[in-house]
Amino acid sequence: MLTIPCPFCGDRDEAEFRYGGEAQQEVPPSGASDGAWSDYLFHRDNPKGLMHERWCHSYGCNQWFQVVRDTVTHRVHAVYQVGQPAPIADEIDVGDVDGVAAKSRG
Amino acid sequence: MRGYSFSTVFGRALRGHRRWPPAWRSGEPGRSYDVVVVGGGGHGLATAYYLAKQHGITNVAVLEKGWLGGGNTGRNTQVTRSNYFWPQSAAFFERSLELYEGLSRELNFNVMLSQRGILTLAHSHHEMEALRRWTNAIRINGIDSDVLTPAEIGKLVPLLNLDARFPVHGGFIQRRGGISRHDAVAWGYARAAGTLGVTLVEQCEVTGFEIDHGRVTGVSTNRGSIAADRVCLCVAGHTSVLAAKAGFRVPITSMALQAMVSEPLKPCLDTVVLSPVIHMYVSQSDRGELVIGGGADAYNSYAQRGGVPLLEENLAALIELFPAFSRLKLMRQWAGIVDITPDTTPIMGPTPVGNLYVSGGWGTGGYKAIPAGGETMAHTIAHDAPHPLIADFGLDRFETGALIDEGAASGVSH
């Protein structure tokens, strides 16, 4: 069971959220090649480890935001708003289990 | 290796079942192979078996990072069926079911195929309409399926509550569908492949690829480098991880698909019952346990454990449809990491790297595809051209747009 810290409402149960998949998919310019569109629409990094992803607090404030979560431990390491720069992976303290930034009950 | 027969079992029984030889032998990795198959699950083992059996390519190694059949092959719920919507999927999965029907004899290993039928339920008038359309498509594809009325369903599955919160409006059944023993499929292919000269290496994890001028020439592993003319990835949920090491991306999302079993019961359910809309399917194993499954967890995961919200959803649906099961205890719950594609159709064939092939994107339904997956991949590797049955399953469909949007693939929407 995940506890996801919504940047607007605070810690909430995963049942209140809708998942939006990988973040930072950039829309290709019009006239881009089929390959570029295929990459944007279908291909994913699907990382094993830290992943930047979108969540929507659909049963709360209904706002989309972005989360850095570990896909192996399910631990949430950071939360940031859409449009803000993503936390750099090297600066995320993945060992910090009890801190404010780590909010998951596995 | 001596085959299994009534006389060998009887003879061993008289001697107290002592000194049975191992069913297969785990080997040491050699220096070079014609084909290296990455992943010792059902698909990897079947691919190696058919390479040796049908194409005479026996200088083959199967590299498994854990133990044979220890990933999704040992974690799935054993459902075997071919009730797909689109002609390409139907032809492929029907071939797989045909191979399953003769598999125990082919492998000299009892895979315990039980064609007890798979019953899909509809809970509203509109669902029933969609289900009739699905049934018609299956029949046009030449595969057996019959629409059943609620009364017929009640007779077939007496424990089912037809007037539940989600009332049963009808359903359809593929009578040739059913279950088989998943471990036996892995062990049977391992034993048969090993007998034909394939090297099975356990505890050998592929950590990278050796690529020369855009063509793969070998793999690096935790047990040293291995040269290979051709390499095939059969790694299910880890397809993206290995593809990244080879330098390309795939349209795959890895998610946890969970399943669970109850305590054993006396026989009470002799068909597989599936409800796509309320996310539950259940069958009873030969040991008497109810095997229960549903949809995949909503978010990317490599954790091999399922989340509680979905477990609760599965069990709520089960108890609603089968009130008699409400007092049962669960014995085990687990998850496998499934490789879901945007159109829920597998990805099979060549990759952007020369001589590197992929058999992945099996999503929530790879077990039933093991025999045909192995047969068609072996053909594809041996001829360096896709087998006709999988010609439409290539990676290039995500660029051409020729997707095979198989909503029936999982049976349970996800």
Side-chain angles (χ1 to χ4, degrees):
Chain A
M1 178 72 78
L2 302 180
T3 298
I4 298 169
C6 171
F8 308 98
C9 311
D11 287 355
R12 297 297 177 95
D13 189 281
E14 75 173 82
E16 295 186 17
F17 294 85
R18 181 179 156 202
Y19 187 59
E22 281 183 32
Q24 270 91 43
Q25 305 290 330
E26 286 197 18
V27 184
S30 62
S33 67
D34 288 352
W37 277 106
S38 172
D39 214 41
Y40 165 67
L41 289 170
F42 302 121
H43 290 72
R44 295 292 176 263
D45 286 339
N46 193 21
K48 182 176 186 176
L50 289 185
M51 174 169 168
H52 296 256
E53 59 191 15
R54 293 196 194 92
W55 287 84
C56 176
H57 192 189
S58 47
Y59 292 101
C61 59
N62 207 18
Q63 296 292 309
W64 284 96
F65 59 96
Q66 323 225 47
V67 170
V68 181
R69 186 179 59 93
D70 190 314
T71 57
V72 179
T73 63
H74 290 178
R75 201 170 284 155
V76 173
H77 288 292
V79 173
Y80 58 104
Q81 291 184 36
V82 177
Q84 285 184 345
I88 298 160
D90 296 345
E91 293 174 2
I92 295 170
D93 181 7
V94 293
D96 184 9
V97 183
D98 302 318
V100 182
K103 298 265 184 179
S104 169
R105 300 192 303 259
Chain B
M1 198 175 277
R2 207 169 150 211
Y4 296 130
S5 67
F6 176 77
S7 60
T8 58
V9 173
F10 189 71
R12 292 278 173 184
L14 287 180
R15 282 173 277 159
H17 286 299
R18 285 187 295 272
R19 291 194 291 279
W20 273 101
W24 75 85
R25 290 185 195 283
S26 198
E28 291 298 312
R31 284 169 174 259
S32 94
Y33 293 94
D34 293 342
V35 179
V36 161
V37 177
V38 186
H43 280 281
L45 294 165
T47 301
Y49 168 74
Y50 290 110
L51 275 169
K53 174 84 177 178
Q54 297 184 345
H55 305 283
I57 302 172
T58 56
N59 186 23
V60 176
V62 178
L63 309 181
E64 166 56 46
K65 72 174 174 178
W67 64 95
L68 295 184
N72 291 353
T73 304
R75 292 163 190 269
N76 67 77
T77 49
Q78 319 192 117
V79 173
T80 312
R81 62 185 174 88
S82 63
N83 50 1
Y84 280 66
F85 188 89
W86 294 106
Q88 301 98 321
S89 324
F92 175 80
F93 286 97
E94 177 60 14
R95 174 64 186 156
S96 210
L97 184 54
E98 274 171 26
L99 287 170
Y100 261 118
E101 285 171 333
L103 199 59
S104 294
R105 187 173 290 271
E106 165 92 18
L107 301 178
N108 181 234
F109 204 102
N110 188 1
V111 303
M112 300 165 82
L113 176 69
S114 165
Q115 293 178 288
R116 56 184 65 185
I118 176 159
L119 171 67
T120 305
L121 301 175
H123 302 291
S124 70
H125 175 75
H126 303 93
E127 252 182 87
M128 197 59 216
E129 294 277 299
L131 209 136
R132 272 184 215 284
R133 178 168 172 256
W134 182 5
T135 310
N136 286 337
I138 295 164
R139 292 180 74 114
I140 289 167
N141 289 328
I143 295 164
D144 70 299
S145 59
D146 294 302
V147 171
L148 298 183
T149 64
E152 288 169 320
I153 290 170
K155 208 170 158 191
L156 189 69
V157 191
L159 287 176
L160 189 62
N161 179 11
L162 300 176
D163 304 313
R165 179 174 165 219
F166 298 95
V168 175
H169 278 240
F172 84 95
I173 188 165
Q174 184 187 16
R175 296 184 201 276
R176 285 167 59 243
I179 58 171
S180 48
R181 175 93 177 93
H182 54 189
D183 291 332
V185 172
W187 299 337
Y189 274 117
R191 176 181 164 84
T195 306
L196 292 172
V198 171
T199 309
L200 310 169
V201 189
E202 295 178 292
Q203 308 295 326
C204 182
E205 182 171 6
V206 170
T207 52
F209 297 91
E210 282 147 33
I211 295 170
D212 183 30
H213 291 92
R215 304 184 86 78
V216 72
T217 57
V219 295
S220 43
T221 75
N222 60 346
R223 293 171 69 176
S225 295
I226 301 171
D229 291 342
R230 288 163 194 188
V231 177
C232 182
L233 303 180
C234 299
V235 294
H238 280 70
T239 305
S240 299
V241 175
L242 283 184
K245 289 183 197 297
F248 62 98
R249 296 211 300 171
V250 285
I252 285 177
T253 302
S254 295
M255 290 178 162
L257 178 66
Q258 57 183 302
M260 60 212 86
V261 293
S262 74
E263 58 191 312
L265 305 168
K266 289 192 174 178
C268 62
L269 183 64
D270 60 359
T271 187
V272 183
V273 178
L274 184 152
S275 171
V277 164
I278 57 174
H279 267 192
M280 187 282 302
Y281 62 93
V282 60
S283 66
Q284 188 173 24
S285 74
D286 291 328
R287 288 182 295 210
E289 302 156 347
L290 295 176
V291 183
I292 304 152
D297 283 359
Y299 43 84
N300 288 40
S301 173
Y302 284 89
Q304 288 194 322
R305 61 169 191 268
V308 177
L310 210 76
L311 176 139
E312 199 174 354
E313 189 184 319
N314 284 355
L315 291 177
L318 174 79
I319 291 165
E320 190 65 45
L321 289 173
F322 292 94
F325 294 160
S326 65
R327 299 301 173 91
L328 294 179
K329 293 184 175 73
L330 278 189
M331 285 217 306
R332 297 187 299 280
Q333 179 255 8
W334 66 92
I337 300 308
V338 297
D339 38 345
I340 294 175
T341 61
D343 58 355
T344 62
T345 290
I347 295 169
M348 301 179 76
T351 67
V353 178
N355 294 345
L356 178 63
Y357 304 86
V358 64
S359 169
W362 293 106
T364 57
Y367 173 70
K368 69 177 86 66
I370 286 172
E375 189 184 49
T376 53
M377 274 322 286
H379 177 104
T380 304
I381 295 165
H383 295 90
D384 195 27
H387 185 284
L389 278 178
I390 60 166
D392 293 334
F393 293 176
L395 258 177
D396 56 348
R397 74 176 185 271
F398 296 96
E399 200 166 320
T400 62
L403 304 184
I404 306 166
D405 195 359
E406 189 58 80
S410 58
V412 180
S413 52
H414 49 65

